[in-house]
Amino acid sequence: MQPAPVTLSSDFGRFYPAAMRGVLLARGIATVQDVTHALPRQNVPQSAFWLRELLPYFPPAVHCIVIDPGVGGDRDVLVMRAGGHALVGPDNGVMRPVARRLTGSGEIEHWRFEHVQPGSATFHGRDVFAPVAAAVATLGIERLEALPTLEPKTDVVDLTLPTPTAIDGGFDAPILAIDGFGNVITGLPGPALEGALGETVWVNGDAVPMRRRYGAVEPGKPVVTIGSHGYVELAVNQQRGDDAFGVAVGDWIRLERTP
Amino acid sequence: MQPAPVTLSSDFGRFYPAAMRGVLLARGIATVQDVTHALPRQNVPQSAFWLRELLPYFPPAVHCIVIDPGVGGDRDVLVMRAGGHALVGPDNGVMRPVARRLTGSGEIEHWRFEHVQPGSATFHGRDVFAPVAAAVATLGIERLEALPTLEPKTDVVDLTLPTPTAIDGGFDAPILAIDGFGNVITGLPGPALEGALGETVWVNGDAVPMRRRYGAVEPGKPVVTIGSHGYVELAVNQQRGDDAFGVAVGDWIRLERTP
Amino acid sequence: MQPAPVTLSSDFGRFYPAAMRGVLLARGIATVQDVTHALPRQNVPQSAFWLRELLPYFPPAVHCIVIDPGVGGDRDVLVMRAGGHALVGPDNGVMRPVARRLTGSGEIEHWRFEHVQPGSATFHGRDVFAPVAAAVATLGIERLEALPTLEPKTDVVDLTLPTPTAIDGGFDAPILAIDGFGNVITGLPGPALEGALGETVWVNGDAVPMRRRYGAVEPGKPVVTIGSHGYVELAVNQQRGDDAFGVAVGDWIRLERTP
């Protein structure tokens, strides 16, 4: 039987992903897909956001995820199964939001993988997570329980992305992420403001048109829209929204339908 | 029958390409090749240059191209067939120079793909172009006319890269692109200056040696050469030519064989 | 017979790798793996370090390597065989350290590939090295001698990474590389300081704890560790070590076990 495909996600940047890829290929995993190796460095909540938005588009696979500021410490090596996918990575919460998205109303199963500490305590992506992902892919996602030194685990580090607060006439919303174009992704679900499409909303007190697409305002002008993640976004047509609105990830903004 | 391979080119950077890749894999496209996701952001002419220089080296494939400053607006979704390749992307001209290169003296065929506006109007790469590319690849490039909601199109947005002007004793040439090494790629075809190889040319009035390779001058010294795209290039051996010559894409320079 | 897999490593960045990938696919090489295209620009010794640390994790393959500041000059095109892998690239030393690592106590074989100068003298990655790698992969690594215009070569440009000097009570060690996290990789093998794990070492006279992992010190605090390459590293937990220690590649540092 063919091994399951494996995807790789990390904050490793330019060099280290190749070592993980090599380890997987050397263990007979024919299909290794990079998701991204530019996740925000050692930033668990922001990485959790991007993984949740990207991995569900893949067909069932073993997703090997290395955002691991606690590398070499006593955090567990976690194997999860959710919605036909497997997830392998550190037990620090980074995989929980995507697992909930993958499983829908189904169950998430968790195991702890007991490993021998490798020679180096600084690159578990290469020395622990990639080999475990290869073993899961070779066994098959449906049969992963057969992996030696795997034991069911119940006390898992959880992580929930922040959610907005309703206020009189609007919302206080967290900024979850800023993409490469400078679009500012808030945690306010689009339906909450959908009625304002074509009208004006107030962002921290400033009037901004709310439209279905960036190009509905002139280039260089601010716009509030509902982005491809289903959340309210702050943007500037053909320029950077984060600069224009003067915000960063982790900030909260006030969104109102009346001044 | 195996689906045709699909290539991906965009200005999406770090995160969004994975969603497109996932959509293609989930639709059974086994071979998905990244060309680049670092095309100049929302820059149609510069992206058109790089696509023209890169895609013709690939074997026949469905090239999915997303440089789309007008996303969500009324620009058409375009499917082209040229020289055995298919191209899927926005009707903004970005695919025209590469289509002419792929087809040689042959014909370019164009269709408009009528699509339902997806939930989000901001990520057609994931929600429109990747699914259309998957459908074309599954049908086969030679049979793509069978795709539903596809209709022949004649009024296509065209784009032609700027060409040099002959002047007395030389040329005024546009700068088409600057590569990652800082090499300055002009729009002047190499044969126009080939006779000056081994001699001196004047760049905006300054004498510069013209040589076949960068290393024919000392490290740090300027050189005019004929680059790998077949155009006259301004470079500095082992350093950045754009800094030394003080030029940017879109500038015009004067190239002369006598002072 | 299936062609051998080919890997690609270069300093080409965003655009040019796609042309090499296209050339390989067009010649029937089904498996083309990117190692990295962000090797330090035109820097032979630093690139040699990263190749030595990354390629040995791959299963046997034809490794096409383009770090080539002398492109178009009279440096030879080199084909090597070491430990069941083949290496194709310029004869400037960049492939020697990885070849020694791949071959262990075995032999390294070298050939010079005589090629016709292509139209352009500036992109041998596309016009020379990729076609040669494709030919080697198609013949098979064990049969590569059958490649036309290949002749055994003995006078090869060598390159050895700098090694530390023992001093009274410690070592003067070169800095070989700095990774994307800012971890400073010295040339001092880990065993030389392993006895100091859990104790204090002096780095250029400053006392720093030596620990098995970054997280053994508080976030923001410096630590000396043994990194995943087997060398002594200078780091700061969850921040950049190169900034904190004020060092760059090529510097030498003094590491002592007593003040």
Side-chain angles (χ1 to χ4, degrees):
Chain A
M1 210 189 75
Q2 276 285 94
V6 174
T7 80
L8 295 175
S9 302
S10 78
D11 60 355
F12 284 154
R14 309 182 293 170
F15 301 134
Y16 295 130
M20 295 179 67
R21 173 175 283 267
V23 164
L24 287 157
L25 295 168
R27 289 168 190 239
I29 309 303
T31 304
V32 181
Q33 300 282 350
D34 288 314
V35 174
T36 178
H37 294 288
L39 288 169
R41 279 263 155 96
Q42 308 206 337
N43 189 315
V44 172
Q46 282 190 45
S47 296
F49 171 82
W50 286 110
L51 293 170
R52 188 188 70 179
E53 299 303 322
L54 297 175
L55 297 185
Y57 290 97
F58 282 78
V62 180
H63 302 291
C64 183
I65 292 164
V66 195
I67 298 293
D68 193 16
V71 60
D74 57 7
R75 58 98 188 90
D76 279 347
V77 171
L78 192 62
V79 177
M80 298 165 92
R81 187 165 53 202
H85 297 246
L87 302 156
V88 176
D91 180 25
N92 61 16
V94 73
M95 305 190 291
R96 290 282 300 177
V98 64
R100 281 191 290 265
R101 182 71 61 93
L102 287 169
T103 206
S105 57
E107 190 194 0
I108 306 176
E109 298 167 279
H110 302 85
W111 295 267
R112 171 178 177 275
F113 182 84
E114 173 70 32
H115 67 94
V116 178
Q117 179 72 24
S120 159
T122 64
F123 192 4
H124 283 190
R126 179 191 72 191
D127 298 337
V128 179
F129 297 117
V132 173
V136 170
T138 302
L139 276 168
I141 293 170
E142 291 314 309
R143 274 170 296 283
L144 70 84
E145 294 93 327
L147 197 65
T149 82
L150 203 67
E151 51 188 48
K153 180 173 161 71
T154 50
D155 57 324
V156 172
V157 175
D158 203 3
L159 182 142
T160 309
L161 296 173
T163 51
T165 311
I167 56 164
D168 195 30
F171 301 90
D172 282 334
I175 294 175
L176 298 185
I178 291 173
D179 73 15
F181 293 88
N183 299 317
V184 177
I185 303 158
T186 76
L188 183 65
L193 274 190
E194 203 155 21
L197 279 167
E199 302 178 10
T200 297
V201 295
W202 278 260
V203 179
N204 285 346
D206 294 330
V208 182
M210 177 145 186
R211 300 288 184 270
R212 189 166 285 285
R213 59 192 184 84
Y214 308 130
V217 299
E218 292 297 305
K221 294 293 181 191
V223 61
V224 176
T225 189
I226 298 172
S228 61
H229 314 286
Y231 289 113
V232 170
E233 284 187 25
L234 316 181
V236 169
N237 186 23
Q238 298 182 34
Q239 292 183 20
R240 294 192 67 90
D242 54 347
D243 292 346
F245 286 93
V247 291
V249 176
D251 291 352
W252 285 71
I253 52 153
R254 180 155 291 188
L255 288 156
E256 295 165 295
R257 295 204 48 184
T258 49
Chain B
M1 211 188 72
Q2 277 284 96
V6 175
T7 80
L8 295 175
S9 302
S10 77
D11 60 355
F12 284 153
R14 310 183 292 170
F15 301 134
Y16 296 129
M20 295 179 68
R21 173 175 284 266
V23 164
L24 287 157
L25 295 169
R27 289 169 190 238
I29 309 302
T31 304
V32 181
Q33 300 283 350
D34 289 314
V35 174
T36 180
H37 296 288
L39 287 168
R41 278 264 155 94
Q42 307 205 340
N43 189 316
V44 172
Q46 282 190 47
S47 297
F49 171 82
W50 287 110
L51 293 170
R52 188 188 70 178
E53 299 303 321
L54 297 175
L55 297 185
Y57 290 97
F58 282 78
V62 180
H63 302 291
C64 183
I65 293 164
V66 195
I67 298 292
D68 193 16
V71 60
D74 57 6
R75 58 97 188 91
D76 279 347
V77 171
L78 191 63
V79 177
M80 298 165 94
R81 187 164 53 200
H85 297 246
L87 301 156
V88 175
D91 180 25
N92 61 16
V94 73
M95 305 190 291
R96 290 283 299 177
V98 64
R100 281 192 291 264
R101 182 73 60 93
L102 287 169
T103 207
S105 58
E107 190 194 359
I108 305 176
E109 299 167 276
H110 301 85
W111 295 266
R112 171 179 178 274
F113 182 84
E114 173 69 33
H115 68 95
V116 178
Q117 179 72 22
S120 158
T122 64
F123 192 4
H124 283 190
R126 179 191 72 191
D127 299 337
V128 179
F129 296 116
V132 173
V136 170
T138 302
L139 275 168
I141 294 169
E142 291 315 309
R143 275 169 297 283
L144 70 83
E145 296 92 327
L147 197 65
T149 81
L150 203 67
E151 52 189 46
K153 179 173 162 72
T154 49
D155 58 323
V156 171
V157 175
D158 202 3
L159 183 143
T160 309
L161 296 174
T163 52
T165 311
I167 56 164
D168 196 27
F171 301 90
D172 283 333
I175 293 174
L176 298 185
I178 291 174
D179 73 16
F181 293 88
N183 299 316
V184 177
I185 303 158
T186 76
L188 182 65
L193 274 190
E194 203 155 21
L197 279 166
E199 302 178 10
T200 298
V201 294
W202 280 258
V203 179
N204 285 345
D206 294 329
V208 182
M210 177 145 185
R211 299 289 183 270
R212 190 166 284 284
R213 59 194 183 84
Y214 308 131
V217 298
E218 294 296 306
K221 294 292 180 191
V223 62
V224 175
T225 189
I226 299 172
S228 61
H229 314 285
Y231 288 113
V232 171
E233 284 186 26
L234 316 181
V236 169
N237 186 22
Q238 298 182 30
Q239 293 183 21
R240 294 193 67 91
D242 54 347
D243 292 346
F245 286 92
V247 292
V249 175
D251 291 351
W252 285 71
I253 51 152
R254 180 154 293 189
L255 288 155
E256 295 166 295
R257 294 205 48 185
T258 50
Chain C
M1 211 189 71
Q2 276 285 95
V6 175
T7 80
L8 295 175
S9 303
S10 78
D11 60 355
F12 284 153
R14 309 183 292 170
F15 301 134
Y16 296 130
M20 295 179 67
R21 173 174 284 266
V23 164
L24 287 157
L25 295 169
R27 288 168 191 240
I29 310 302
T31 304
V32 182
Q33 301 282 349
D34 289 313
V35 174
T36 179
H37 295 289
L39 287 169
R41 278 264 155 96
Q42 307 205 340
N43 189 316
V44 171
Q46 283 190 45
S47 297
F49 171 82
W50 286 110
L51 294 169
R52 188 189 68 178
E53 300 303 322
L54 297 174
L55 297 185
Y57 291 98
F58 282 78
V62 180
H63 303 292
C64 184
I65 293 164
V66 195
I67 299 292
D68 193 15
V71 61
D74 56 8
R75 58 99 187 91
D76 279 348
V77 171
L78 192 62
V79 177
M80 298 165 93
R81 186 165 55 200
H85 297 246
L87 302 155
V88 175
D91 180 24
N92 61 16
V94 74
M95 305 190 291
R96 289 283 301 176
V98 65
R100 281 192 292 265
R101 182 72 60 93
L102 287 169
T103 206
S105 58
E107 191 194 0
I108 305 176
E109 298 167 278
H110 301 86
W111 295 266
R112 170 178 178 276
F113 183 84
E114 173 70 32
H115 67 95
V116 177
Q117 180 71 25
S120 158
T122 64
F123 192 4
H124 282 189
R126 179 191 72 192
D127 299 337
V128 178
F129 296 117
V132 173
V136 170
T138 303
L139 276 168
I141 294 170
E142 291 314 309
R143 275 169 298 282
L144 70 82
E145 295 93 326
L147 196 65
T149 81
L150 203 67
E151 52 189 45
K153 179 172 161 73
T154 49
D155 57 324
V156 172
V157 174
D158 203 3
L159 182 143
T160 310
L161 296 174
T163 51
T165 311
I167 55 165
D168 195 28
F171 301 90
D172 281 334
I175 292 174
L176 298 185
I178 291 173
D179 73 15
F181 294 88
N183 299 316
V184 177
I185 303 158
T186 77
L188 183 65
L193 274 191
E194 203 155 21
L197 279 167
E199 302 178 10
T200 297
V201 295
W202 278 258
V203 179
N204 284 344
D206 293 330
V208 182
M210 177 143 185
R211 298 290 183 269
R212 191 167 285 284
R213 58 193 185 82
Y214 308 131
V217 299
E218 292 297 305
K221 294 293 181 191
V223 62
V224 175
T225 189
I226 299 172
S228 62
H229 314 285
Y231 288 113
V232 171
E233 284 186 25
L234 316 180
V236 170
N237 186 22
Q238 298 183 32
Q239 292 183 19
R240 294 191 67 90
D242 54 346
D243 292 346
F245 286 93
V247 292
V249 175
D251 291 352
W252 284 71
I253 52 152
R254 180 155 292 189
L255 288 156
E256 296 165 294
R257 296 203 48 185
T258 50

